[in-house]
Amino acid sequence: MRKIILLLVLVSFFIVSCGETPESGKEINYKQGFLDITIAPEGNKEEYQEQPLELPISVHNTLAYDIEDVSVAIKGFDNHFVEMFTEQQQLSILEGKSIFNHEGMKESFLFEGLIKSLLPGAEKEQEDYRVHVYYISKVEFSPSICVTPQQSGYVGAAYDTYQGACTFQKEISYSGQGAPLGITGLEIIPRQGKQVELRMKLENKGKGKVGKVTLVSAAIGGKPLTCEFRGDTVENSFLFEAEEKSVTLICAGYLGSDDAYTTPLFVELLYDYEINQKEMLMILE
Amino acid sequence: MVDLFRLFKKAVIANKQGLEPVGTTKPDEEVLENLHAKTGLKNERAKPEIKNKRVQNFFSAPREQPKPESRQAAGSPRRFSLPSFNGPSLPKIPAGTGVYIGLIILSIIGLILKGYVAYHPGGSLFISLILGFFFFIAIHYTPEAKFKETMVFLTFALDTFTQFVLGLFPESELKNWLITYYVFAWIILAVILFLMGVFDTMGAGEHLGKAGWFVTALLIGFVLFLLFPILVTGPVAKQDETHAEYYHIAKTQIVKVADTLEETKNVWYDYFGCTFDVLGGSYKYDSCIDDKRIVRYCKNNFASTTEQQDCIRQQQEILKSGGKAGVAGSVSEAIKKVTKIELKEDQFFPKKATEPRTVYPIPLKVENPREQIFTAKVSCEFKKGKEVVAGEVSIGGQVVNEVHINSRQQQFLIGCQPSSDLNGRYTLDYSVILSGMQTFSFLKRAFISKEISSELRAQVESDNFKVSKDKVSQGPAEFALLNFKFGTGVGTEPLILVEEPTTFSFAVEDVGSGAFKGEVLKVNSYNFHGLWERGFSIDSERIGDQDCLQGGEIRLLAAQTKKREPSELKRCFLTLPPDLGQLQKNEYKVETFVADLNYDYKLTKSISIEVTPLEAQVVCGNGVVEAYEQCDDGNQINTDICTNVCKLVQCGDGFVNPDTEQCDDGNVINGDGCSSACRLEAIA
């Protein structure tokens, strides 16, 4: 009997071991952390003068979202040394990481041009140029949060208090949602009349620049939130200035209970993003 | 000046005759009392009811007054001793008016002179002293002298104080104000005094009193202050001619525009005009003066409004860059193939020679990696103080002085032989004129749209202009650099806003150094093909040289090609190619432009040599038989075998050698008592 049991245990172990790995069976949440697309010139770093130039640039979308209206451009070549025949290329969509594509899509853009002559008597010339990648993408913020309309429930200066089914936290930090732009902080402020104010800090932690951010939708427990960006806003949009790295989105909504309870928050933002990466090409005699 | 002095003298005499009675000083009153005592006239001041009598006014010179003799006779002390006037009554001319007009003219001259010394405190104070002296002498013998003297002293005090402040604190905040006021203090004073004289004539002086006069003076001064700029606009035309002449000279002689500006001095009335602008707000006095000069200069040299505006803009740009209209450049380390021509003596060069006409050989080494084709014309001369001995040049042993260079590496042996005998120390000057040298320069610039983020701007600059050399035009480290630039300053601003139009200029810099040092003689041709091929064109509607992108010969002065400070040779406005002119927001383009220069360069080399001819080295009497000596017995006896000139004794030399000769009469003629064999003989 013992042998049978042992055999069964071994067989069971074998079956379990040979089955799907836990990772493959589990839905991986790519929507965390801050991610950037990867841009890489795939051609030679050195080229000879008076030769055609082929400059393949690969763009790898490692974000947790698709990027759309992708534009890749080569800028900054000194026209005296390098003439680009194609300076910009477009792609409508480049898929990001998902359960169907764990790596995200990678696309190569070939730029063609001509390397002209060096200056008389010069042996080489270093040409610095920039690869500009522009795209539009989105970021989703969907945590479950503990909310309470009870302002009186606070204990002293500390906002943590147990009121019912969950622990209410006034301020919560997040580590990104799988895009260069993400919500890094949430402040929950209960208001009179079963209202709650949510202040979300939206930060750009990528290597590029955010252009315009537009709020697509925001809801708490399925009920829409009324939101606006702090600062200059135009119709639920915010335009990042040159050196601006963050903005606060302020939303207000009604709660469905007098007690603290956990409820899903959902915020979807659309943004345009631009990365310009410095590259170098050495022209040889 | 003679007239002025005549008027002055006449006025003093007139005043002596006619105005002493109303003098205010005690000695004058004593004189008057004496006069009253002698002539029976009463003191007019004591009787205001007759104030309107002409004798009281300043301008009525010919009056019925006591004769000077009578005053002298009274023995009163005199402060001034001009010759007395004994003639008939003076004609009724306003002599005093002449004095004051003279003072006005004098103060205007003073003002102009102050302009010339550019408010150098020392020079300006000297002029003020002269002015003060003339004013004082003129005023001292007028009625109400004390009050007028006080005004003179006040003006002088203001002037001195100003000089003091300007001298000690040239950057004083007060500077603008002080210059504004003191420059015309003298002229205002002269005019006020003149008007006071007029009032005096009308009799107003009796009513006013000193306080009244003071207020009147202030009012007059203020009115003049307001009216002056309007009054002085007349002489503008004359100044314009001067400025046009300056411009003409500048253009024809290709001197830099900044020099033109420097020579184009401000006119004196600018200082007044600017007073209003300075008072009006934060406008700096100096800036106002500069602007006025520029505007006048441009208006007088260009007819259309557009041209004038361009000219003003250009001149202001030059002013902004510190008056330097130079164009910066640098030698490029990236250009490895560099033409080198070296004239350097080797170990075979005879720095010390004994032959007076030795050939002095020196190798001319040419490295010509870009295989340029040019000629080298050699000349040489020997100099000792003011003595110059021409040298005859040979190249490779052949008597030619010119050689063509066309291969990568060549070496020639240049020989220089003096055309006359040398003796002593000389400086041997070789000069090689390299004709048709070719070089090129390149300039990298980033053209940016007007709407560009500061971040992008910084990025473009850091990507493309990493070191300061990258910001200026560069060329190979040869002899001459063709420096060119867009826009203002000396050409170190690497980013160009695509505003229409952009200014362009170029200069040629002498960068020869060490063994390659010399002088750029002339530009044979220049061609900024990188610009016109790219679509840049000269804006012919605007001022500037229409040959600034491509042209021929330009003769150069050494000062124009000065290292690090070469002067602009041509300047013009360029129209940008459409693609650059229409850059959109945050767009930029990086371009390198190449230009060619063909020029002549004079390479020089000086070497010290010493020539000691062999004859000069022989010493007769030192016991050593040397060159040209037949003997040297080391003594000074002429009658032994070796004479004192180191020649062996022989018959007929005049010296009797007792061993071989009976006589030696210095000749070899027989029949004269001593035969041709130096034997005694009977005289025929």
Side-chain angles (χ1 to χ4, degrees), chain A residues 76-80 119-123 128 130 209 276 278 285, chain B residues 334-337 440 442 444 455 459 463 466 590-592 594:
Chain A
F77 268 124
D78 185 336
N79 193 49
H80 184 78
L119 290 167
E123 293 172 351
D128 290 330
R130 295 263 169 180
K209 279 172 60 185
N276 90 63
K278 188 178 174 182
E285 194 180 3
Chain B
I335 310 300
K336 304 292 183 191
K337 292 177 183 171
F440 68 96
F442 59 96
K444 190 176 193 178
E455 189 188 8
Q459 177 194 296
D463 282 359
K466 297 180 184 73
V590 182
E591 302 269 352
T592 294
V594 181

PDB file of all heavy atoms in Angstrom, chain A residues 76-80 119-123 128 130 209 276 278 285, chain B residues 334-337 440 442 444 455 459 463 466 590-592 594:
ATOM      1  N   GLY A  76      19.608  66.151 -37.950  1.00  0.00           N
ATOM      2  CA  GLY A  76      20.865  66.672 -37.432  1.00  0.00           C
ATOM      3  C   GLY A  76      22.100  66.353 -38.248  1.00  0.00           C
ATOM      4  O   GLY A  76      23.187  66.810 -37.909  1.00  0.00           O
ATOM      5  N   PHE A  77      21.980  65.597 -39.323  1.00  0.00           N
ATOM      6  CA  PHE A  77      23.150  65.354 -40.165  1.00  0.00           C
ATOM      7  C   PHE A  77      23.548  66.659 -40.830  1.00  0.00           C
ATOM      8  O   PHE A  77      22.691  67.434 -41.278  1.00  0.00           O
ATOM      9  CB  PHE A  77      22.822  64.335 -41.260  1.00  0.00           C
ATOM     10  CG  PHE A  77      23.137  62.914 -40.874  1.00  0.00           C
ATOM     11  CD1 PHE A  77      22.154  61.932 -40.927  1.00  0.00           C
ATOM     12  CD2 PHE A  77      24.412  62.551 -40.474  1.00  0.00           C
ATOM     13  CE1 PHE A  77      22.430  60.617 -40.586  1.00  0.00           C
ATOM     14  CE2 PHE A  77      24.698  61.236 -40.129  1.00  0.00           C
ATOM     15  CZ  PHE A  77      23.711  60.265 -40.181  1.00  0.00           C
ATOM     16  N   ASP A  78      24.827  66.866 -40.902  1.00  0.00           N
ATOM     17  CA  ASP A  78      25.329  68.028 -41.617  1.00  0.00           C
ATOM     18  C   ASP A  78      25.164  67.733 -43.104  1.00  0.00           C
ATOM     19  O   ASP A  78      25.762  66.787 -43.629  1.00  0.00           O
ATOM     20  CB  ASP A  78      26.801  68.248 -41.264  1.00  0.00           C
ATOM     21  CG  ASP A  78      27.369  69.515 -41.890  1.00  0.00           C
ATOM     22  OD1 ASP A  78      26.832  69.977 -42.905  1.00  0.00           O
ATOM     23  OD2 ASP A  78      28.358  70.024 -41.345  1.00  0.00           O
ATOM     24  N   ASN A  79      24.384  68.550 -43.746  1.00  0.00           N
ATOM     25  CA  ASN A  79      24.043  68.323 -45.150  1.00  0.00           C
ATOM     26  C   ASN A  79      25.263  68.320 -46.065  1.00  0.00           C
ATOM     27  O   ASN A  79      25.227  67.782 -47.164  1.00  0.00           O
ATOM     28  CB  ASN A  79      23.044  69.401 -45.598  1.00  0.00           C
ATOM     29  CG  ASN A  79      22.406  69.058 -46.912  1.00  0.00           C
ATOM     30  OD1 ASN A  79      21.924  67.947 -47.085  1.00  0.00           O
ATOM     31  ND2 ASN A  79      22.425  69.995 -47.848  1.00  0.00           N
ATOM     32  N   HIS A  80      26.333  68.892 -45.598  1.00  0.00           N
ATOM     33  CA  HIS A  80      27.546  68.925 -46.422  1.00  0.00           C
ATOM     34  C   HIS A  80      28.186  67.539 -46.513  1.00  0.00           C
ATOM     35  O   HIS A  80      28.865  67.227 -47.489  1.00  0.00           O
ATOM     36  CB  HIS A  80      28.550  69.909 -45.838  1.00  0.00           C
ATOM     37  CG  HIS A  80      29.784  70.071 -46.666  1.00  0.00           C
ATOM     38  ND1 HIS A  80      29.816  70.839 -47.800  1.00  0.00           N
ATOM     39  CD2 HIS A  80      31.022  69.530 -46.550  1.00  0.00           C
ATOM     40  CE1 HIS A  80      31.014  70.778 -48.341  1.00  0.00           C
ATOM     41  NE2 HIS A  80      31.776  69.992 -47.604  1.00  0.00           N
ATOM     42  N   LEU A 119      36.163  66.831 -46.251  1.00  0.00           N
ATOM     43  CA  LEU A 119      36.828  68.077 -46.606  1.00  0.00           C
ATOM     44  C   LEU A 119      38.192  67.744 -47.199  1.00  0.00           C
ATOM     45  O   LEU A 119      38.794  66.730 -46.826  1.00  0.00           O
ATOM     46  CB  LEU A 119      37.003  68.944 -45.356  1.00  0.00           C
ATOM     47  CG  LEU A 119      35.727  69.539 -44.780  1.00  0.00           C
ATOM     48  CD1 LEU A 119      35.989  70.086 -43.393  1.00  0.00           C
ATOM     49  CD2 LEU A 119      35.196  70.640 -45.685  1.00  0.00           C
ATOM     50  N   PRO A 120      38.690  68.570 -48.093  1.00  0.00           N
ATOM     51  CA  PRO A 120      40.003  68.269 -48.675  1.00  0.00           C
ATOM     52  C   PRO A 120      41.054  68.167 -47.562  1.00  0.00           C
ATOM     53  O   PRO A 120      41.133  69.039 -46.702  1.00  0.00           O
ATOM     54  CB  PRO A 120      40.279  69.486 -49.569  1.00  0.00           C
ATOM     55  CG  PRO A 120      38.973  70.136 -49.775  1.00  0.00           C
ATOM     56  CD  PRO A 120      38.127  69.821 -48.605  1.00  0.00           C
ATOM     57  N   GLY A 121      41.776  67.087 -47.599  1.00  0.00           N
ATOM     58  CA  GLY A 121      42.845  66.928 -46.615  1.00  0.00           C
ATOM     59  C   GLY A 121      42.415  66.321 -45.296  1.00  0.00           C
ATOM     60  O   GLY A 121      43.235  66.085 -44.414  1.00  0.00           O
ATOM     61  N   ALA A 122      41.119  66.063 -45.158  1.00  0.00           N
ATOM     62  CA  ALA A 122      40.639  65.468 -43.905  1.00  0.00           C
ATOM     63  C   ALA A 122      40.602  63.950 -44.043  1.00  0.00           C
ATOM     64  O   ALA A 122      40.379  63.420 -45.135  1.00  0.00           O
ATOM     65  CB  ALA A 122      39.255  65.999 -43.571  1.00  0.00           C
ATOM     66  N   GLU A 123      40.868  63.273 -42.954  1.00  0.00           N
ATOM     67  CA  GLU A 123      40.885  61.813 -42.990  1.00  0.00           C
ATOM     68  C   GLU A 123      39.593  61.203 -42.495  1.00  0.00           C
ATOM     69  O   GLU A 123      39.264  60.066 -42.789  1.00  0.00           O
ATOM     70  CB  GLU A 123      42.062  61.304 -42.156  1.00  0.00           C
ATOM     71  CG  GLU A 123      43.403  61.677 -42.789  1.00  0.00           C
ATOM     72  CD  GLU A 123      44.581  61.364 -41.898  1.00  0.00           C
ATOM     73  OE1 GLU A 123      44.375  61.010 -40.715  1.00  0.00           O
ATOM     74  OE2 GLU A 123      45.720  61.479 -42.375  1.00  0.00           O
ATOM     75  N   ASP A 128      27.407  63.593 -35.780  1.00  0.00           N
ATOM     76  CA  ASP A 128      26.409  63.278 -34.756  1.00  0.00           C
ATOM     77  C   ASP A 128      25.029  63.539 -35.335  1.00  0.00           C
ATOM     78  O   ASP A 128      24.830  64.535 -36.028  1.00  0.00           O
ATOM     79  CB  ASP A 128      26.616  64.159 -33.526  1.00  0.00           C
ATOM     80  CG  ASP A 128      27.892  63.789 -32.779  1.00  0.00           C
ATOM     81  OD1 ASP A 128      28.275  62.608 -32.831  1.00  0.00           O
ATOM     82  OD2 ASP A 128      28.502  64.681 -32.171  1.00  0.00           O
ATOM     83  N   ARG A 130      20.577  62.675 -34.727  1.00  0.00           N
ATOM     84  CA  ARG A 130      19.539  62.326 -33.754  1.00  0.00           C
ATOM     85  C   ARG A 130      18.478  61.458 -34.419  1.00  0.00           C
ATOM     86  O   ARG A 130      18.058  61.743 -35.550  1.00  0.00           O
ATOM     87  CB  ARG A 130      18.858  63.583 -33.216  1.00  0.00           C
ATOM     88  CG  ARG A 130      19.800  64.476 -32.424  1.00  0.00           C
ATOM     89  CD  ARG A 130      19.655  64.223 -30.968  1.00  0.00           C
ATOM     90  NE  ARG A 130      20.718  64.864 -30.197  1.00  0.00           N
ATOM     91  CZ  ARG A 130      20.808  64.780 -28.889  1.00  0.00           C
ATOM     92  NH1 ARG A 130      19.911  64.095 -28.196  1.00  0.00           N
ATOM     93  NH2 ARG A 130      21.791  65.367 -28.249  1.00  0.00           N
ATOM     94  N   LYS A 209      10.107  63.050 -24.152  1.00  0.00           N
ATOM     95  CA  LYS A 209       9.296  64.177 -23.709  1.00  0.00           C
ATOM     96  C   LYS A 209       7.828  63.913 -23.987  1.00  0.00           C
ATOM     97  O   LYS A 209       7.470  63.412 -25.063  1.00  0.00           O
ATOM     98  CB  LYS A 209       9.705  65.437 -24.472  1.00  0.00           C
ATOM     99  CG  LYS A 209      10.916  66.096 -23.912  1.00  0.00           C
ATOM    100  CD  LYS A 209      11.380  67.204 -24.815  1.00  0.00           C
ATOM    101  CE  LYS A 209      10.301  68.258 -24.980  1.00  0.00           C
ATOM    102  NZ  LYS A 209      10.703  69.285 -25.947  1.00  0.00           N
ATOM    103  N   ASN A 276      14.269  61.596 -28.570  1.00  0.00           N
ATOM    104  CA  ASN A 276      15.312  61.825 -29.568  1.00  0.00           C
ATOM    105  C   ASN A 276      16.633  61.349 -28.996  1.00  0.00           C
ATOM    106  O   ASN A 276      17.041  61.725 -27.915  1.00  0.00           O
ATOM    107  CB  ASN A 276      15.283  63.250 -30.099  1.00  0.00           C
ATOM    108  CG  ASN A 276      16.116  64.231 -29.360  1.00  0.00           C
ATOM    109  OD1 ASN A 276      17.316  64.118 -29.305  1.00  0.00           O
ATOM    110  ND2 ASN A 276      15.431  65.225 -28.786  1.00  0.00           N
ATOM    111  N   LYS A 278      20.669  60.441 -29.414  1.00  0.00           N
ATOM    112  CA  LYS A 278      21.877  60.858 -30.141  1.00  0.00           C
ATOM    113  C   LYS A 278      22.640  59.642 -30.647  1.00  0.00           C
ATOM    114  O   LYS A 278      22.852  58.689 -29.901  1.00  0.00           O
ATOM    115  CB  LYS A 278      22.761  61.669 -29.209  1.00  0.00           C
ATOM    116  CG  LYS A 278      23.946  62.318 -29.870  1.00  0.00           C
ATOM    117  CD  LYS A 278      24.714  63.125 -28.852  1.00  0.00           C
ATOM    118  CE  LYS A 278      25.983  63.676 -29.455  1.00  0.00           C
ATOM    119  NZ  LYS A 278      26.767  64.409 -28.472  1.00  0.00           N
ATOM    120  N   GLU A 285      37.874  58.285 -44.860  1.00  0.00           N
ATOM    121  CA  GLU A 285      38.369  58.687 -46.173  1.00  0.00           C
ATOM    122  C   GLU A 285      38.300  57.531 -47.181  1.00  0.00           C
ATOM    123  O   GLU A 285      38.615  56.402 -46.835  1.00  0.00           O
ATOM    124  CB  GLU A 285      39.831  59.135 -46.046  1.00  0.00           C
ATOM    125  CG  GLU A 285      40.344  59.880 -47.243  1.00  0.00           C
ATOM    126  CD  GLU A 285      41.798  60.301 -47.069  1.00  0.00           C
ATOM    127  OE1 GLU A 285      42.398  59.962 -46.036  1.00  0.00           O
ATOM    128  OE2 GLU A 285      42.321  60.936 -47.989  1.00  0.00           O
TER     129      GLU A 285
ATOM    130  N   ALA B 334      41.551  68.858 -38.050  1.00  0.00           N
ATOM    131  CA  ALA B 334      41.012  67.738 -38.832  1.00  0.00           C
ATOM    132  C   ALA B 334      41.649  67.660 -40.214  1.00  0.00           C
ATOM    133  O   ALA B 334      41.683  66.603 -40.829  1.00  0.00           O
ATOM    134  CB  ALA B 334      39.504  67.894 -38.969  1.00  0.00           C
ATOM    135  N   ILE B 335      42.134  68.790 -40.686  1.00  0.00           N
ATOM    136  CA  ILE B 335      42.760  68.800 -42.017  1.00  0.00           C
ATOM    137  C   ILE B 335      44.222  68.386 -41.857  1.00  0.00           C
ATOM    138  O   ILE B 335      45.050  69.146 -41.338  1.00  0.00           O
ATOM    139  CB  ILE B 335      42.660  70.205 -42.667  1.00  0.00           C
ATOM    140  CG1 ILE B 335      41.233  70.743 -42.604  1.00  0.00           C
ATOM    141  CG2 ILE B 335      43.186  70.166 -44.098  1.00  0.00           C
ATOM    142  CD1 ILE B 335      40.211  69.902 -43.303  1.00  0.00           C
ATOM    143  N   LYS B 336      44.482  67.189 -42.270  1.00  0.00           N
ATOM    144  CA  LYS B 336      45.836  66.651 -42.073  1.00  0.00           C
ATOM    145  C   LYS B 336      46.758  66.988 -43.235  1.00  0.00           C
ATOM    146  O   LYS B 336      47.962  67.042 -43.082  1.00  0.00           O
ATOM    147  CB  LYS B 336      45.771  65.126 -41.910  1.00  0.00           C
ATOM    148  CG  LYS B 336      44.849  64.665 -40.789  1.00  0.00           C
ATOM    149  CD  LYS B 336      45.396  65.039 -39.422  1.00  0.00           C
ATOM    150  CE  LYS B 336      44.498  64.496 -38.317  1.00  0.00           C
ATOM    151  NZ  LYS B 336      44.838  65.048 -37.006  1.00  0.00           N
ATOM    152  N   LYS B 337      46.185  67.133 -44.407  1.00  0.00           N
ATOM    153  CA  LYS B 337      47.014  67.417 -45.579  1.00  0.00           C
ATOM    154  C   LYS B 337      47.219  68.923 -45.686  1.00  0.00           C
ATOM    155  O   LYS B 337      46.336  69.648 -46.162  1.00  0.00           O
ATOM    156  CB  LYS B 337      46.345  66.862 -46.841  1.00  0.00           C
ATOM    157  CG  LYS B 337      46.317  65.338 -46.856  1.00  0.00           C
ATOM    158  CD  LYS B 337      45.586  64.813 -48.053  1.00  0.00           C
ATOM    159  CE  LYS B 337      45.514  63.302 -48.015  1.00  0.00           C
ATOM    160  NZ  LYS B 337      44.636  62.757 -49.052  1.00  0.00           N
ATOM    161  N   PHE B 440      41.376  76.625 -48.449  1.00  0.00           N
ATOM    162  CA  PHE B 440      39.918  76.628 -48.315  1.00  0.00           C
ATOM    163  C   PHE B 440      39.576  76.785 -46.840  1.00  0.00           C
ATOM    164  O   PHE B 440      40.429  76.589 -45.964  1.00  0.00           O
ATOM    165  CB  PHE B 440      39.319  75.324 -48.862  1.00  0.00           C
ATOM    166  CG  PHE B 440      39.662  74.121 -48.030  1.00  0.00           C
ATOM    167  CD1 PHE B 440      38.786  73.653 -47.055  1.00  0.00           C
ATOM    168  CD2 PHE B 440      40.867  73.465 -48.196  1.00  0.00           C
ATOM    169  CE1 PHE B 440      39.104  72.550 -46.285  1.00  0.00           C
ATOM    170  CE2 PHE B 440      41.200  72.363 -47.411  1.00  0.00           C
ATOM    171  CZ  PHE B 440      40.318  71.909 -46.459  1.00  0.00           C
ATOM    172  N   PHE B 442      36.132  76.278 -43.998  1.00  0.00           N
ATOM    173  CA  PHE B 442      34.758  75.779 -43.845  1.00  0.00           C
ATOM    174  C   PHE B 442      34.149  76.342 -42.571  1.00  0.00           C
ATOM    175  O   PHE B 442      34.851  76.642 -41.610  1.00  0.00           O
ATOM    176  CB  PHE B 442      34.723  74.250 -43.847  1.00  0.00           C
ATOM    177  CG  PHE B 442      35.546  73.615 -42.760  1.00  0.00           C
ATOM    178  CD1 PHE B 442      34.970  73.233 -41.567  1.00  0.00           C
ATOM    179  CD2 PHE B 442      36.898  73.383 -42.939  1.00  0.00           C
ATOM    180  CE1 PHE B 442      35.722  72.642 -40.567  1.00  0.00           C
ATOM    181  CE2 PHE B 442      37.663  72.801 -41.947  1.00  0.00           C
ATOM    182  CZ  PHE B 442      37.073  72.421 -40.758  1.00  0.00           C
ATOM    183  N   LYS B 444      30.721  75.770 -40.082  1.00  0.00           N
ATOM    184  CA  LYS B 444      29.529  74.977 -39.760  1.00  0.00           C
ATOM    185  C   LYS B 444      28.532  75.869 -39.020  1.00  0.00           C
ATOM    186  O   LYS B 444      28.917  76.565 -38.078  1.00  0.00           O
ATOM    187  CB  LYS B 444      29.945  73.808 -38.864  1.00  0.00           C
ATOM    188  CG  LYS B 444      28.876  72.769 -38.643  1.00  0.00           C
ATOM    189  CD  LYS B 444      29.452  71.625 -37.814  1.00  0.00           C
ATOM    190  CE  LYS B 444      28.545  70.421 -37.833  1.00  0.00           C
ATOM    191  NZ  LYS B 444      29.129  69.299 -37.065  1.00  0.00           N
ATOM    192  N   GLU B 455      15.683  73.949 -24.919  1.00  0.00           N
ATOM    193  CA  GLU B 455      16.285  72.625 -24.762  1.00  0.00           C
ATOM    194  C   GLU B 455      16.867  72.140 -26.096  1.00  0.00           C
ATOM    195  O   GLU B 455      17.996  71.660 -26.160  1.00  0.00           O
ATOM    196  CB  GLU B 455      15.207  71.654 -24.281  1.00  0.00           C
ATOM    197  CG  GLU B 455      15.742  70.308 -23.876  1.00  0.00           C
ATOM    198  CD  GLU B 455      14.617  69.305 -23.588  1.00  0.00           C
ATOM    199  OE1 GLU B 455      13.433  69.634 -23.860  1.00  0.00           O
ATOM    200  OE2 GLU B 455      14.922  68.228 -23.119  1.00  0.00           O
ATOM    201  N   GLN B 459      20.679  71.500 -27.279  1.00  0.00           N
ATOM    202  CA  GLN B 459      21.040  70.190 -27.812  1.00  0.00           C
ATOM    203  C   GLN B 459      21.757  70.319 -29.162  1.00  0.00           C
ATOM    204  O   GLN B 459      22.774  69.685 -29.403  1.00  0.00           O
ATOM    205  CB  GLN B 459      19.776  69.367 -27.970  1.00  0.00           C
ATOM    206  CG  GLN B 459      19.985  68.009 -28.591  1.00  0.00           C
ATOM    207  CD  GLN B 459      18.661  67.418 -29.025  1.00  0.00           C
ATOM    208  OE1 GLN B 459      17.800  67.156 -28.187  1.00  0.00           O
ATOM    209  NE2 GLN B 459      18.484  67.236 -30.308  1.00  0.00           N
ATOM    210  N   ASP B 463      25.583  69.136 -29.727  1.00  0.00           N
ATOM    211  CA  ASP B 463      25.865  68.068 -30.690  1.00  0.00           C
ATOM    212  C   ASP B 463      26.868  68.500 -31.757  1.00  0.00           C
ATOM    213  O   ASP B 463      27.700  67.722 -32.190  1.00  0.00           O
ATOM    214  CB  ASP B 463      24.575  67.651 -31.424  1.00  0.00           C
ATOM    215  CG  ASP B 463      23.703  66.758 -30.558  1.00  0.00           C
ATOM    216  OD1 ASP B 463      24.107  66.464 -29.422  1.00  0.00           O
ATOM    217  OD2 ASP B 463      22.614  66.360 -31.020  1.00  0.00           O
ATOM    218  N   LYS B 466      31.039  71.350 -30.252  1.00  0.00           N
ATOM    219  CA  LYS B 466      31.521  70.846 -28.967  1.00  0.00           C
ATOM    220  C   LYS B 466      32.600  71.744 -28.375  1.00  0.00           C
ATOM    221  O   LYS B 466      32.652  71.953 -27.177  1.00  0.00           O
ATOM    222  CB  LYS B 466      32.065  69.431 -29.141  1.00  0.00           C
ATOM    223  CG  LYS B 466      31.003  68.439 -29.576  1.00  0.00           C
ATOM    224  CD  LYS B 466      31.588  67.048 -29.743  1.00  0.00           C
ATOM    225  CE  LYS B 466      30.544  66.079 -30.262  1.00  0.00           C
ATOM    226  NZ  LYS B 466      30.201  66.282 -31.683  1.00  0.00           N
ATOM    227  N   VAL B 590      21.622  71.602 -40.089  1.00  0.00           N
ATOM    228  CA  VAL B 590      23.050  71.828 -39.876  1.00  0.00           C
ATOM    229  C   VAL B 590      23.740  71.808 -41.241  1.00  0.00           C
ATOM    230  O   VAL B 590      23.510  70.902 -42.046  1.00  0.00           O
ATOM    231  CB  VAL B 590      23.641  70.737 -38.956  1.00  0.00           C
ATOM    232  CG1 VAL B 590      25.114  70.995 -38.698  1.00  0.00           C
ATOM    233  CG2 VAL B 590      22.870  70.679 -37.648  1.00  0.00           C
ATOM    234  N   GLU B 591      24.548  72.811 -41.465  1.00  0.00           N
ATOM    235  CA  GLU B 591      25.211  72.912 -42.766  1.00  0.00           C
ATOM    236  C   GLU B 591      26.658  73.331 -42.562  1.00  0.00           C
ATOM    237  O   GLU B 591      26.959  74.166 -41.720  1.00  0.00           O
ATOM    238  CB  GLU B 591      24.533  74.002 -43.627  1.00  0.00           C
ATOM    239  CG  GLU B 591      23.065  73.792 -43.864  1.00  0.00           C
ATOM    240  CD  GLU B 591      22.777  72.991 -45.115  1.00  0.00           C
ATOM    241  OE1 GLU B 591      23.715  72.722 -45.879  1.00  0.00           O
ATOM    242  OE2 GLU B 591      21.598  72.637 -45.326  1.00  0.00           O
ATOM    243  N   THR B 592      27.503  72.759 -43.377  1.00  0.00           N
ATOM    244  CA  THR B 592      28.893  73.230 -43.425  1.00  0.00           C
ATOM    245  C   THR B 592      29.120  73.835 -44.795  1.00  0.00           C
ATOM    246  O   THR B 592      28.753  73.241 -45.807  1.00  0.00           O
ATOM    247  CB  THR B 592      29.876  72.069 -43.184  1.00  0.00           C
ATOM    248  OG1 THR B 592      29.717  71.608 -41.847  1.00  0.00           O
ATOM    249  CG2 THR B 592      31.319  72.509 -43.372  1.00  0.00           C
ATOM    250  N   VAL B 594      31.791  75.559 -47.523  1.00  0.00           N
ATOM    251  CA  VAL B 594      33.213  75.582 -47.872  1.00  0.00           C
ATOM    252  C   VAL B 594      33.467  76.741 -48.835  1.00  0.00           C
ATOM    253  O   VAL B 594      32.627  77.053 -49.678  1.00  0.00           O
ATOM    254  CB  VAL B 594      33.634  74.243 -48.522  1.00  0.00           C
ATOM    255  CG1 VAL B 594      35.112  74.248 -48.873  1.00  0.00           C
ATOM    256  CG2 VAL B 594      33.340  73.088 -47.570  1.00  0.00           C
TER     257      VAL B 594
END
